[in-house]
Amino acid sequence: MNTIKSVDITVPSLTFGAASIANLFKMLSNAEAMAIVDKAIQVGWRYFDTAPHYGSGLSELRLGLGLRGLERSEYVLSTKVGRLLQSRKQQPGLEAGEFFLDENPFNRLADYSYSGIMRSYEDSIQRLGTRYIDILYVHDIGTYTYGQTALERQHFKVFCESGQKALEELKRNGDIKAWGVGANEEAILMEVMDNAEPDIFMLANRYNLLETDHQTFFDKCDEHGVSVAIAAPFATGILVAKDKSTSRYEYGSAPTEVIEKIKHIDSLCEKHNVPVGAAALQFPLRNKSVVTVTCGVQSVEQALTNYEWANYEIPSVLWDELANLGIK
């Protein structure tokens, strides 16, 4: 367990990423999704993260049903705001159909305003069937999602002038315990610190065994008392995939230099009899700002294996040798 500094809340160091149970790149039946959540609970997972974006609400619905057997005080739950869901009717998907297969029939409408965040929160607690959310993240604000456009700047302006007031009000009223921003880029998170007082950030795909040079970001988080949750420690899955040449990296194909770096990492892990997945999951937690690591779970086997990797004993000599490769 680690502590979110600004609010003195403890969270497990491993987080169940529930995007995968919303058919991310792979179809799952409701029964299969429930079995995954059941296994996660059985082996000890106690922090679960989701978002309306994942399957247009499908992740929240499935996760909420899966968690009904646990007392609410027994687990930590986070979801996200910034996208409202609207009936798609007979239209094709407008945003994430290529990622989330057979998702719910709703389009996503970006809305970072006070009213948009309040509505998103209410919609989420209904889909999840819960009384409150522990951590609420503002989802995907920034250039990674919207490009360097006037629209991106407008979304950020609305969040700063309006949306953050909703988050502070929810926190003040006890509807949430902490709030932050989740993004795939550190630049927007650093800008948020200049304009608001978040408790925690979720940084996805940016800090893992393949990408480590973010000291300026972590220094600023430390200065502002902001904790960090790291998501996608397997670099979109390529670090633990059997066939690296066909695996996704940054949701696309991996460059040759990335494949070569992975070979060096695999070699060192094999030398010390450490699963590369264990090293990938535990590496971010060596940073004092990081309080939890979020990984997707797409099968009953992954629910068990990822939990075992998170608790695997890794010899210090492996970290030393990885540091010699610049991984530190």
Side-chain angles (χ1 to χ4, degrees), residues 111-132:
D111 191 336
Y112 297 92
S113 69
Y114 175 94
S115 60
I117 286 175
M118 285 299 197
R119 177 183 159 190
S120 182
Y121 172 82
E122 290 293 335
D123 289 349
S124 285
I125 61 172
Q126 290 183 37
R127 283 189 292 265
L128 286 160
T130 188
R131 293 184 177 88
Y132 63 90

PDB file of all heavy atoms in Angstrom, residues 111-132:
ATOM      1  N   ASP A 111     -16.484  16.935 -23.044  1.00  0.00           N
ATOM      2  CA  ASP A 111     -17.071  17.996 -22.231  1.00  0.00           C
ATOM      3  C   ASP A 111     -16.302  18.071 -20.917  1.00  0.00           C
ATOM      4  O   ASP A 111     -16.434  17.212 -20.056  1.00  0.00           O
ATOM      5  CB  ASP A 111     -18.546  17.726 -21.966  1.00  0.00           C
ATOM      6  CG  ASP A 111     -19.269  18.932 -21.348  1.00  0.00           C
ATOM      7  OD1 ASP A 111     -18.592  19.766 -20.715  1.00  0.00           O
ATOM      8  OD2 ASP A 111     -20.502  19.038 -21.502  1.00  0.00           O
ATOM      9  N   TYR A 112     -15.497  19.132 -20.759  1.00  0.00           N
ATOM     10  CA  TYR A 112     -14.671  19.308 -19.571  1.00  0.00           C
ATOM     11  C   TYR A 112     -15.197  20.433 -18.681  1.00  0.00           C
ATOM     12  O   TYR A 112     -14.481  20.945 -17.841  1.00  0.00           O
ATOM     13  CB  TYR A 112     -13.223  19.596 -19.986  1.00  0.00           C
ATOM     14  CG  TYR A 112     -12.591  18.444 -20.747  1.00  0.00           C
ATOM     15  CD1 TYR A 112     -12.652  18.384 -22.133  1.00  0.00           C
ATOM     16  CD2 TYR A 112     -11.952  17.415 -20.066  1.00  0.00           C
ATOM     17  CE1 TYR A 112     -12.088  17.314 -22.826  1.00  0.00           C
ATOM     18  CE2 TYR A 112     -11.385  16.352 -20.755  1.00  0.00           C
ATOM     19  CZ  TYR A 112     -11.461  16.312 -22.131  1.00  0.00           C
ATOM     20  OH  TYR A 112     -10.903  15.250 -22.810  1.00  0.00           O
ATOM     21  N   SER A 113     -16.459  20.798 -18.857  1.00  0.00           N
ATOM     22  CA  SER A 113     -17.057  21.884 -18.104  1.00  0.00           C
ATOM     23  C   SER A 113     -17.560  21.396 -16.745  1.00  0.00           C
ATOM     24  O   SER A 113     -17.622  20.190 -16.478  1.00  0.00           O
ATOM     25  CB  SER A 113     -18.240  22.469 -18.882  1.00  0.00           C
ATOM     26  OG  SER A 113     -19.308  21.525 -18.931  1.00  0.00           O
ATOM     27  N   TYR A 114     -17.950  22.341 -15.910  1.00  0.00           N
ATOM     28  CA  TYR A 114     -18.537  22.011 -14.602  1.00  0.00           C
ATOM     29  C   TYR A 114     -19.727  21.073 -14.771  1.00  0.00           C
ATOM     30  O   TYR A 114     -19.791  20.012 -14.132  1.00  0.00           O
ATOM     31  CB  TYR A 114     -18.962  23.298 -13.902  1.00  0.00           C
ATOM     32  CG  TYR A 114     -19.688  23.076 -12.594  1.00  0.00           C
ATOM     33  CD1 TYR A 114     -19.002  23.074 -11.379  1.00  0.00           C
ATOM     34  CD2 TYR A 114     -21.073  22.852 -12.565  1.00  0.00           C
ATOM     35  CE1 TYR A 114     -19.670  22.859 -10.172  1.00  0.00           C
ATOM     36  CE2 TYR A 114     -21.743  22.644 -11.373  1.00  0.00           C
ATOM     37  CZ  TYR A 114     -21.035  22.641 -10.181  1.00  0.00           C
ATOM     38  OH  TYR A 114     -21.704  22.418  -8.998  1.00  0.00           O
ATOM     39  N   SER A 115     -20.673  21.444 -15.614  1.00  0.00           N
ATOM     40  CA  SER A 115     -21.888  20.636 -15.776  1.00  0.00           C
ATOM     41  C   SER A 115     -21.568  19.292 -16.421  1.00  0.00           C
ATOM     42  O   SER A 115     -22.169  18.271 -16.067  1.00  0.00           O
ATOM     43  CB  SER A 115     -22.933  21.398 -16.604  1.00  0.00           C
ATOM     44  OG  SER A 115     -22.430  21.700 -17.896  1.00  0.00           O
ATOM     45  N   GLY A 116     -20.622  19.296 -17.371  1.00  0.00           N
ATOM     46  CA  GLY A 116     -20.252  18.046 -18.024  1.00  0.00           C
ATOM     47  C   GLY A 116     -19.617  17.065 -17.066  1.00  0.00           C
ATOM     48  O   GLY A 116     -19.904  15.860 -17.092  1.00  0.00           O
ATOM     49  N   ILE A 117     -18.753  17.560 -16.199  1.00  0.00           N
ATOM     50  CA  ILE A 117     -18.090  16.688 -15.224  1.00  0.00           C
ATOM     51  C   ILE A 117     -19.082  16.186 -14.190  1.00  0.00           C
ATOM     52  O   ILE A 117     -19.066  15.003 -13.812  1.00  0.00           O
ATOM     53  CB  ILE A 117     -16.906  17.422 -14.577  1.00  0.00           C
ATOM     54  CG1 ILE A 117     -15.753  17.501 -15.587  1.00  0.00           C
ATOM     55  CG2 ILE A 117     -16.457  16.734 -13.289  1.00  0.00           C
ATOM     56  CD1 ILE A 117     -14.556  18.292 -15.133  1.00  0.00           C
ATOM     57  N   MET A 118     -19.980  17.049 -13.735  1.00  0.00           N
ATOM     58  CA  MET A 118     -20.992  16.616 -12.775  1.00  0.00           C
ATOM     59  C   MET A 118     -21.901  15.547 -13.374  1.00  0.00           C
ATOM     60  O   MET A 118     -22.218  14.537 -12.728  1.00  0.00           O
ATOM     61  CB  MET A 118     -21.826  17.807 -12.311  1.00  0.00           C
ATOM     62  CG  MET A 118     -21.101  18.719 -11.336  1.00  0.00           C
ATOM     63  SD  MET A 118     -20.645  17.846  -9.807  1.00  0.00           S
ATOM     64  CE  MET A 118     -20.308  19.216  -8.691  1.00  0.00           C
ATOM     65  N   ARG A 119     -22.307  15.732 -14.609  1.00  0.00           N
ATOM     66  CA  ARG A 119     -23.167  14.734 -15.251  1.00  0.00           C
ATOM     67  C   ARG A 119     -22.403  13.428 -15.469  1.00  0.00           C
ATOM     68  O   ARG A 119     -22.938  12.343 -15.237  1.00  0.00           O
ATOM     69  CB  ARG A 119     -23.689  15.260 -16.586  1.00  0.00           C
ATOM     70  CG  ARG A 119     -24.534  14.234 -17.319  1.00  0.00           C
ATOM     71  CD  ARG A 119     -25.010  14.698 -18.663  1.00  0.00           C
ATOM     72  NE  ARG A 119     -25.363  13.556 -19.497  1.00  0.00           N
ATOM     73  CZ  ARG A 119     -25.644  13.633 -20.797  1.00  0.00           C
ATOM     74  NH1 ARG A 119     -25.620  14.817 -21.396  1.00  0.00           N
ATOM     75  NH2 ARG A 119     -25.942  12.558 -21.480  1.00  0.00           N
ATOM     76  N   SER A 120     -21.161  13.534 -15.897  1.00  0.00           N
ATOM     77  CA  SER A 120     -20.352  12.338 -16.130  1.00  0.00           C
ATOM     78  C   SER A 120     -20.190  11.536 -14.844  1.00  0.00           C
ATOM     79  O   SER A 120     -20.280  10.300 -14.836  1.00  0.00           O
ATOM     80  CB  SER A 120     -18.982  12.727 -16.679  1.00  0.00           C
ATOM     81  OG  SER A 120     -18.204  11.584 -16.956  1.00  0.00           O
ATOM     82  N   TYR A 121     -19.947  12.236 -13.738  1.00  0.00           N
ATOM     83  CA  TYR A 121     -19.815  11.571 -12.443  1.00  0.00           C
ATOM     84  C   TYR A 121     -21.098  10.822 -12.085  1.00  0.00           C
ATOM     85  O   TYR A 121     -21.058   9.650 -11.691  1.00  0.00           O
ATOM     86  CB  TYR A 121     -19.476  12.593 -11.359  1.00  0.00           C
ATOM     87  CG  TYR A 121     -19.516  12.021  -9.958  1.00  0.00           C
ATOM     88  CD1 TYR A 121     -18.442  11.316  -9.447  1.00  0.00           C
ATOM     89  CD2 TYR A 121     -20.655  12.175  -9.160  1.00  0.00           C
ATOM     90  CE1 TYR A 121     -18.494  10.769  -8.158  1.00  0.00           C
ATOM     91  CE2 TYR A 121     -20.704  11.644  -7.880  1.00  0.00           C
ATOM     92  CZ  TYR A 121     -19.626  10.943  -7.386  1.00  0.00           C
ATOM     93  OH  TYR A 121     -19.689  10.406  -6.133  1.00  0.00           O
ATOM     94  N   GLU A 122     -22.238  11.488 -12.215  1.00  0.00           N
ATOM     95  CA  GLU A 122     -23.509  10.852 -11.878  1.00  0.00           C
ATOM     96  C   GLU A 122     -23.780   9.648 -12.775  1.00  0.00           C
ATOM     97  O   GLU A 122     -24.255   8.604 -12.320  1.00  0.00           O
ATOM     98  CB  GLU A 122     -24.653  11.865 -11.993  1.00  0.00           C
ATOM     99  CG  GLU A 122     -24.637  12.936 -10.930  1.00  0.00           C
ATOM    100  CD  GLU A 122     -24.908  12.381  -9.538  1.00  0.00           C
ATOM    101  OE1 GLU A 122     -25.559  11.313  -9.429  1.00  0.00           O
ATOM    102  OE2 GLU A 122     -24.478  13.013  -8.556  1.00  0.00           O
ATOM    103  N   ASP A 123     -23.502   9.778 -14.077  1.00  0.00           N
ATOM    104  CA  ASP A 123     -23.697   8.662 -14.999  1.00  0.00           C
ATOM    105  C   ASP A 123     -22.810   7.477 -14.610  1.00  0.00           C
ATOM    106  O   ASP A 123     -23.238   6.317 -14.664  1.00  0.00           O
ATOM    107  CB  ASP A 123     -23.376   9.089 -16.432  1.00  0.00           C
ATOM    108  CG  ASP A 123     -24.415  10.046 -17.012  1.00  0.00           C
ATOM    109  OD1 ASP A 123     -25.490  10.218 -16.389  1.00  0.00           O
ATOM    110  OD2 ASP A 123     -24.143  10.617 -18.085  1.00  0.00           O
ATOM    111  N   SER A 124     -21.578   7.766 -14.211  1.00  0.00           N
ATOM    112  CA  SER A 124     -20.640   6.698 -13.873  1.00  0.00           C
ATOM    113  C   SER A 124     -21.050   5.951 -12.609  1.00  0.00           C
ATOM    114  O   SER A 124     -20.970   4.717 -12.563  1.00  0.00           O
ATOM    115  CB  SER A 124     -19.221   7.259 -13.705  1.00  0.00           C
ATOM    116  OG  SER A 124     -18.651   7.572 -14.955  1.00  0.00           O
ATOM    117  N   ILE A 125     -21.474   6.675 -11.577  1.00  0.00           N
ATOM    118  CA  ILE A 125     -21.842   5.953 -10.357  1.00  0.00           C
ATOM    119  C   ILE A 125     -23.091   5.100 -10.586  1.00  0.00           C
ATOM    120  O   ILE A 125     -23.260   4.052  -9.940  1.00  0.00           O
ATOM    121  CB  ILE A 125     -22.014   6.883  -9.130  1.00  0.00           C
ATOM    122  CG1 ILE A 125     -23.120   7.901  -9.333  1.00  0.00           C
ATOM    123  CG2 ILE A 125     -20.704   7.565  -8.782  1.00  0.00           C
ATOM    124  CD1 ILE A 125     -23.428   8.696  -8.058  1.00  0.00           C
ATOM    125  N   GLN A 126     -23.939   5.509 -11.534  1.00  0.00           N
ATOM    126  CA  GLN A 126     -25.094   4.668 -11.862  1.00  0.00           C
ATOM    127  C   GLN A 126     -24.656   3.417 -12.618  1.00  0.00           C
ATOM    128  O   GLN A 126     -25.128   2.306 -12.318  1.00  0.00           O
ATOM    129  CB  GLN A 126     -26.109   5.474 -12.669  1.00  0.00           C
ATOM    130  CG  GLN A 126     -26.814   6.548 -11.851  1.00  0.00           C
ATOM    131  CD  GLN A 126     -27.859   7.291 -12.651  1.00  0.00           C
ATOM    132  OE1 GLN A 126     -28.554   6.721 -13.489  1.00  0.00           O
ATOM    133  NE2 GLN A 126     -27.977   8.589 -12.405  1.00  0.00           N
ATOM    134  N   ARG A 127     -23.768   3.572 -13.615  1.00  0.00           N
ATOM    135  CA  ARG A 127     -23.301   2.383 -14.351  1.00  0.00           C
ATOM    136  C   ARG A 127     -22.540   1.445 -13.424  1.00  0.00           C
ATOM    137  O   ARG A 127     -22.633   0.223 -13.535  1.00  0.00           O
ATOM    138  CB  ARG A 127     -22.420   2.804 -15.532  1.00  0.00           C
ATOM    139  CG  ARG A 127     -23.200   3.336 -16.721  1.00  0.00           C
ATOM    140  CD  ARG A 127     -22.305   3.530 -17.930  1.00  0.00           C
ATOM    141  NE  ARG A 127     -21.346   4.595 -17.739  1.00  0.00           N
ATOM    142  CZ  ARG A 127     -21.520   5.859 -18.143  1.00  0.00           C
ATOM    143  NH1 ARG A 127     -22.651   6.220 -18.752  1.00  0.00           N
ATOM    144  NH2 ARG A 127     -20.583   6.762 -17.937  1.00  0.00           N
ATOM    145  N   LEU A 128     -21.752   2.007 -12.508  1.00  0.00           N
ATOM    146  CA  LEU A 128     -20.941   1.201 -11.598  1.00  0.00           C
ATOM    147  C   LEU A 128     -21.741   0.663 -10.416  1.00  0.00           C
ATOM    148  O   LEU A 128     -21.297  -0.275  -9.750  1.00  0.00           O
ATOM    149  CB  LEU A 128     -19.764   2.032 -11.078  1.00  0.00           C
ATOM    150  CG  LEU A 128     -18.643   2.277 -12.076  1.00  0.00           C
ATOM    151  CD1 LEU A 128     -17.793   3.472 -11.647  1.00  0.00           C
ATOM    152  CD2 LEU A 128     -17.771   1.030 -12.226  1.00  0.00           C
ATOM    153  N   GLY A 129     -22.893   1.255 -10.144  1.00  0.00           N
ATOM    154  CA  GLY A 129     -23.683   0.820  -9.011  1.00  0.00           C
ATOM    155  C   GLY A 129     -23.002   1.072  -7.689  1.00  0.00           C
ATOM    156  O   GLY A 129     -23.035   0.239  -6.780  1.00  0.00           O
ATOM    157  N   THR A 130     -22.398   2.229  -7.542  1.00  0.00           N
ATOM    158  CA  THR A 130     -21.656   2.554  -6.329  1.00  0.00           C
ATOM    159  C   THR A 130     -22.128   3.880  -5.750  1.00  0.00           C
ATOM    160  O   THR A 130     -22.752   4.688  -6.455  1.00  0.00           O
ATOM    161  CB  THR A 130     -20.142   2.616  -6.613  1.00  0.00           C
ATOM    162  OG1 THR A 130     -19.421   2.754  -5.386  1.00  0.00           O
ATOM    163  CG2 THR A 130     -19.790   3.773  -7.533  1.00  0.00           C
ATOM    164  N   ARG A 131     -21.807   4.123  -4.473  1.00  0.00           N
ATOM    165  CA  ARG A 131     -22.216   5.364  -3.821  1.00  0.00           C
ATOM    166  C   ARG A 131     -21.224   6.495  -4.034  1.00  0.00           C
ATOM    167  O   ARG A 131     -21.571   7.660  -3.920  1.00  0.00           O
ATOM    168  CB  ARG A 131     -22.402   5.133  -2.316  1.00  0.00           C
ATOM    169  CG  ARG A 131     -23.561   4.214  -1.963  1.00  0.00           C
ATOM    170  CD  ARG A 131     -23.727   4.117  -0.455  1.00  0.00           C
ATOM    171  NE  ARG A 131     -24.874   3.310  -0.087  1.00  0.00           N
ATOM    172  CZ  ARG A 131     -24.833   1.990   0.072  1.00  0.00           C
ATOM    173  NH1 ARG A 131     -23.698   1.338  -0.109  1.00  0.00           N
ATOM    174  NH2 ARG A 131     -25.917   1.321   0.421  1.00  0.00           N
ATOM    175  N   TYR A 132     -19.971   6.131  -4.285  1.00  0.00           N
ATOM    176  CA  TYR A 132     -18.948   7.166  -4.442  1.00  0.00           C
ATOM    177  C   TYR A 132     -17.774   6.614  -5.242  1.00  0.00           C
ATOM    178  O   TYR A 132     -17.627   5.401  -5.422  1.00  0.00           O
ATOM    179  CB  TYR A 132     -18.456   7.665  -3.083  1.00  0.00           C
ATOM    180  CG  TYR A 132     -17.764   6.608  -2.231  1.00  0.00           C
ATOM    181  CD1 TYR A 132     -16.387   6.398  -2.305  1.00  0.00           C
ATOM    182  CD2 TYR A 132     -18.498   5.817  -1.347  1.00  0.00           C
ATOM    183  CE1 TYR A 132     -15.762   5.422  -1.539  1.00  0.00           C
ATOM    184  CE2 TYR A 132     -17.883   4.846  -0.569  1.00  0.00           C
ATOM    185  CZ  TYR A 132     -16.513   4.648  -0.674  1.00  0.00           C
ATOM    186  OH  TYR A 132     -15.916   3.680   0.081  1.00  0.00           O
TER     187      TYR A 132
END
